Amino acid sequence: MTSMLSTDHLIYAMSPNNAPVTHVADGDTVIIQTCDCFENQITSEDQDFGTLDWERINPATGPIYINGAEPGDLLVVHIQKIDLAKRGVMTTGPNLGVLGDELSQNAIRMIPIHNGKAIFSDTIELPIHPMIGVIGTAPAVDSIPCGTPGDHGGNMDCKCITEGARLILPVNVPGALFALGDLHAAMGDGEVAVCGIEIAATVQVQFHVQKGKHWPTPMLVNDEQIMTIASETLLDDAATRAVKNMVHFLEETCGVDKAEATFLLSAAGDLRVCQVVDPLKTARFELPRWIAEQYGFTFTY
């Protein structure tokens, strides 16, 4: 069954206390409309940052209750389709992003989207790479702002969370209470300006509840790779945990000896930065999927 969820239903924190706005069954598809990370408040390059309501940043649409999802299960989210709005926005300025200590004025860039390109300037057109910045389930106890990443997902800003990928999230509360938002037309690893090309979008996802698996979440599976994603206060710690999560996954799921798994990651895997500008930093470890499949890994969703 396919249903639609509009931007009439926005949350600003992922929380076990959020009331679900819709219930769906395992295997259902939902089409989710999203605002950009500023809740579509920026409409002009001349706009004063002071006019923004900063309590309305990084909204996510939801939450969605998936029937049959119970604490301890995994929620597999198949990202089937992303349709972007016709214009995105980028912002940076003092105390924002990596260069925030060197910038003296706020800057806004409106970026049209046309024929699969982001019109960055009169001379530069960038290929679009639609991806989801905020996507997750409710934590077990605490409320976590949508702008903060964590083991529940959230604002991971991983550019691989795009069409065709399967994101694997923990189910911490009955129904999972899933939500997503903060789409980008394109974003480089690091998101160094504190933004990608922020844009409203419509996202089609399909849900699958997986029981009896104990994988280190969040994880991402696409046709080419398996990824472990980790967020910590320090980037070094996020990188370390992303690596360890992949080793533990190979140990527990594929029966690979710890030393052999470590050799594999060092010889054939890639450790990458997702973002360095959110309250927690996020890293991912990428392993070619065929290697895990050689050790018996199967994934049917």
Side-chain angles (χ1 to χ4, degrees), residues 68-139:
E70 297 294 337
D73 296 342
L74 299 178
L75 181 66
V76 180
V77 184
H78 179 194
I79 302 159
Q80 296 180 325
K81 188 174 177 60
I82 299 175
D83 291 317
L84 302 177
K86 296 186 182 301
R87 186 173 70 172
V89 61
M90 299 188 77
T91 64
T92 196
N95 303 314
L96 296 174
V98 175
L99 270 291
D101 60 337
E102 298 187 17
L103 294 167
S104 58
Q105 293 184 326
N106 293 318
I108 297 174
R109 174 77 58 90
M110 307 303 295
I111 300 181
I113 307 299
H114 183 66
N115 288 339
K117 302 284 187 179
I119 313 304
F120 183 79
S121 69
D122 291 341
T123 57
I124 296 177
E125 297 182 0
L126 302 173
I128 63 168
H129 180 75
M131 48 82 60
I132 303 169
V134 171
I135 182 169
T137 54

Side-chain angles (χ1 to χ4, degrees), residues 1 20 53 61 96 158 161 180 200 202 211-212 224 232 234 236 238 242 297:
M1 187 174 115
D53 181 350
T61 304
L96 296 174
C158 173
I161 302 177
L180 67 79
T202 300
K211 296 182 179 292
E224 302 297 328
E232 295 285 353
L234 298 177
D236 283 358
F297 170 73

Side-chain angles (χ1 to χ4, degrees), residues 10-119:
L10 298 177
I11 59 172
Y12 302 92
M14 295 190 179
S15 171
N17 302 316
N18 287 334
V21 296
T22 190
H23 289 66
V24 302
D26 183 9
D28 277 0
T29 298
V30 182
I31 298 169
I32 303 170
Q33 296 177 344
T34 70
C35 299
D36 68 24
C37 76
F38 301 105
E39 204 175 312
N40 304 338
Q41 294 181 78
I42 297 178
T43 58
S44 167
E45 292 183 351
D46 299 323
Q47 190 164 336
D48 183 351
F49 266 32
T51 65
L52 298 184
D53 181 350
W54 293 98
E55 299 299 317
R56 295 164 56 196
I57 301 301
N58 275 321
T61 304
I64 298 169
Y65 189 107
I66 296 91
N67 296 333
E70 297 294 337
D73 296 342
L74 299 178
L75 181 66
V76 180
V77 184
H78 179 194
I79 302 159
Q80 296 180 325
K81 188 174 177 60
I82 299 175
D83 291 317
L84 302 177
K86 296 186 182 301
R87 186 173 70 172
V89 61
M90 299 188 77
T91 64
T92 196
N95 303 314
L96 296 174
V98 175
L99 270 291
D101 60 337
E102 298 187 17
L103 294 167
S104 58
Q105 293 184 326
N106 293 318
I108 297 174
R109 174 77 58 90
M110 307 303 295
I111 300 181
I113 307 299
H114 183 66
N115 288 339
K117 302 284 187 179
I119 313 304

Side-chain angles (χ1 to χ4, degrees), residues 126-200:
L126 302 173
I128 63 168
H129 180 75
M131 48 82 60
I132 303 169
V134 171
I135 182 169
T137 54
V141 179
D142 297 324
S143 297
I144 298 179
C146 289
T148 300
D151 291 348
H152 68 296
N155 194 24
M156 297 177 287
D157 283 318
C158 173
K159 71 177 186 180
C160 300
I161 302 177
T162 189
E163 284 188 359
R166 276 79 166 172
L167 181 65
I168 304 160
L169 295 166
V171 177
N172 299 306
V173 299
L177 298 181
F178 171 88
L180 67 79
D182 184 33
L183 273 287
H184 304 97
M187 191 198 82
D189 280 336
E191 200 189 22
V192 297
V194 82
C195 67
I197 301 177
E198 308 293 331
I199 196 164

